[in-house]
């Protein structure tokens, strides 16, 4: 496990069609809190269990989908180190000044082979609500909605994921916890920068830059059931679940925000140590890998993206 370098997912920015409906979805239903609205209209959200300024950014646009995902690095000098490694690899990084997002220091950004923008940043202010650090209660602000603990990971769809794998391993020091190999080549990868089974994942898809889901961690399987109750009570479109993944072993439910962006709430998954081997799946058991109980994929999982 890296003691310097990329620490963990920091935040994701998604495009939404309906800002008030989206804010209601992510705050009232998923259980996040709105931190602030920026001068350009972007809305910044976090869970009450996160310290950093925000973990989720919504931008009003005419199409739903993915703008960027940012990973936090340990210290400012790591940004220079990674900028050089990225440039040496042959990818150009650009600079985003401190304050372009409220509470966030300078960032570097770059486009990976699948067409997605990834950013790195070292500094975030803290914002309320956040956990107390001295004699802390299990929560400071009473949990509501699905009781999301944190923004956990994203699954992105695009071409050239073999190149993504090479870049994330060689340049950003991620490791591949699991992969799916089909007769015609690599279909999917789950990449970790810490001790979770994945922090970002990719599935091969012809169109670049597509978004499959952003996932929130829940405390336990009962909370996945609570999330299912909320989805039915408020008539929110469900993709699949509650069920379990063979890949990562997470217990999960997938659904859609008002703009059609897929969300996941999940719990569990194994601890990934950096010396562990990559677990591999093939076409014969892929259904069980994706949905362990159903043992087959639903059509939407492979085809519905924003
Ligand atoms: Fe996921």
């Amino acid at each position: 496990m890296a003691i310097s370098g990329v620490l963990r997912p920091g935040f994701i920015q998604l495009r939404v069609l309906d800002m008030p409906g989206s804010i209601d979805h992510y705050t009232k239903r998923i259980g996040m809190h709105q931190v602030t609205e920026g001068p350009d209209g972007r809305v910044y959200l976090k869970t009450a269990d996160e310290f950093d300024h925000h973990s989720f950014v919504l931008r009003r646009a005419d199409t739903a989908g993915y703008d960027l995902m940012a990973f936090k690095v340990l210290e400012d000098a790591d940004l220079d180190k990674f900028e050089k490694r990225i440039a040496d690899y042959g990818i150009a990084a650009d600079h985003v000044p401190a304050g372009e997002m409220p509470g966030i220091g300078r960032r570097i950004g770059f486009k990976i082979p699948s067409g997605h923008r990834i950013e790195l940043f070292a500094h975030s202010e803290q914002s309320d609500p956040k956990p107390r650090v001295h004699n802390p209660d299990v929560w400071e602000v009473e949990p509501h909605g699905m009781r999301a603990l944190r923004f956990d990971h994203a699954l992105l769809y695009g071409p050239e994921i073999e190149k993504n794998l090479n870049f994330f391993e060689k340049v950003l020091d991620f490791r591949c916890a699991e992969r799916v190999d089909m007769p015609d080549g690599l279909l999917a990868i789950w990449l970790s920068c810490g001790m979770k089974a994945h922090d970002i994942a990719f599935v091969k898809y012809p169109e670049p830059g597509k978004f499959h889901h952003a996932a929130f961690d829940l405390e336990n399987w009962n909370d996945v059931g609570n999330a299912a109750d909320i989805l039915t009570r408020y008539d929110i479109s469900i993709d699949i679940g509650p069920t379990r993944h063979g890949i990562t072993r997470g217990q999960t439910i997938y659904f859609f925000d008002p703009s059609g962006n897929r969300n996941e709430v999940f719990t569990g998954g194994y601890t990934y140590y950096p010396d562990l081997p990559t677990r591999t799946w093939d076409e014969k058991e892929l259904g069980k890998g994706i949905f362990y109980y159903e043992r087959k994929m639903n059509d939407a999982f492979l085809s519905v993206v924003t």
Side-chain angles (χ1 to χ4, degrees):
M1 178 178 172
I3 54 169
S4 182
V6 178
L7 296 178
R8 59 178 169 83
F11 52 85
I12 190 167
Q13 178 175 312
L14 298 182
R15 301 188 304 274
V16 296
L17 309 175
D18 163 22
M19 186 60 84
S22 302
I23 293 172
D24 271 4
H25 174 82
Y26 285 100
T27 58
K28 292 181 182 162
R29 305 301 167 237
I30 293 193
M32 303 185 92
H33 297 262
Q34 181 173 342
V35 180
T36 190
E37 181 177 338
D40 61 2
R42 279 181 294 175
V43 169
Y44 298 85
L45 307 164
K46 69 179 297 183
T47 75
D49 208 42
E50 292 172 317
F51 290 95
D52 279 0
H53 186 270
H54 58 262
S55 62
F56 222 82
V57 186
L58 303 176
R59 181 172 74 85
R60 165 84 184 87
D62 294 332
T63 56
Y66 172 95
D67 278 342
L68 63 93
M69 180 169 170
F71 288 87
K72 197 174 190 187
V73 299
L74 189 62
E75 53 193 19
D76 193 75
D78 290 331
L79 295 177
D80 300 324
K81 181 182 79 179
F82 279 115
E83 184 175 2
K84 179 168 184 336
R85 290 174 67 175
I86 292 162
D88 289 348
Y89 191 80
I91 292 178
D94 58 78
H95 300 125
V96 184
E100 193 272 342
M101 280 185 182
I104 303 294
R106 72 182 181 105
R107 291 129 64 193
I108 61 170
F110 44 92
K111 191 190 270 195
I112 55 174
S114 57
H116 299 90
R117 180 176 175 83
I118 300 289
E119 294 185 345
L120 303 177
F121 70 106
H123 174 75
S124 172
E125 293 170 14
Q126 295 186 1
S127 70
D128 291 321
K130 63 175 184 285
R132 208 149 25 102
V133 293
H134 183 61
N135 299 332
D137 280 299
V138 294
W139 40 258
E140 279 295 299
V141 176
E142 194 166 341
H144 65 283
M146 298 183 193
R147 307 195 277 258
L149 292 172
R150 65 166 185 270
F151 164 58
D152 185 87
H153 66 266
L155 172 56
L156 306 176
Y157 272 38
E160 308 275 23
I161 64 167
E162 302 86 352
K163 291 182 181 170
N164 275 6
L165 173 61
N166 190 265
F167 174 79
F168 271 85
E169 284 183 333
K170 297 267 164 55
V171 180
L172 301 181
D173 296 331
F174 280 58
R175 290 164 304 279
C176 185
E178 305 211 28
R179 58 184 286 159
V180 176
D181 295 287
M182 301 295 271
D184 62 348
L186 183 63
L187 176 69
I189 46 176
W190 285 259
L191 303 172
S192 178
C193 60
M195 293 179 63
K196 295 190 289 131
H198 61 323
D199 295 297
I200 191 167
F202 296 96
V203 169
K204 181 171 81 172
Y205 193 71
E207 217 181 317
K210 302 306 280 184
F211 173 76
H212 190 272
H213 70 263
F216 299 91
D217 186 43
L218 302 184
E219 190 162 354
N220 54 48
W221 183 227
N222 283 345
D223 278 356
V224 178
N226 173 59
D229 292 343
I230 288 171
L231 292 171
T232 294
R233 168 63 181 82
Y234 294 103
D235 206 21
I236 295 167
S237 173
I238 295 179
D239 182 3
I240 192 166
T243 184
R244 183 174 188 144
H245 297 301
I247 296 167
T248 76
R249 298 189 200 150
Q251 296 158 322
T252 180
I253 184 166
Y254 285 105
F255 51 97
F256 295 97
D257 80 2
S259 307
N261 295 311
R262 190 186 278 93
N263 298 147
E264 176 186 25
V265 289
F266 84 103
T267 191
Y270 57 79
T271 302
Y272 175 78
Y273 288 97
D275 65 314
L276 296 188
T278 300
R279 296 160 206 227
T280 64
W281 296 79
D282 61 32
E283 76 281 8
K284 291 190 289 294
E285 297 292 352
L286 178 58
K288 212 164 79 177
I290 302 294
F291 297 125
Y292 193 67
Y293 300 149
E294 293 78 4
R295 286 165 270 167
K296 62 175 192 288
M297 251 170 336
N298 66 349
D299 290 340
F301 191 85
L302 279 180
S303 59
V304 177
V305 291
T306 53

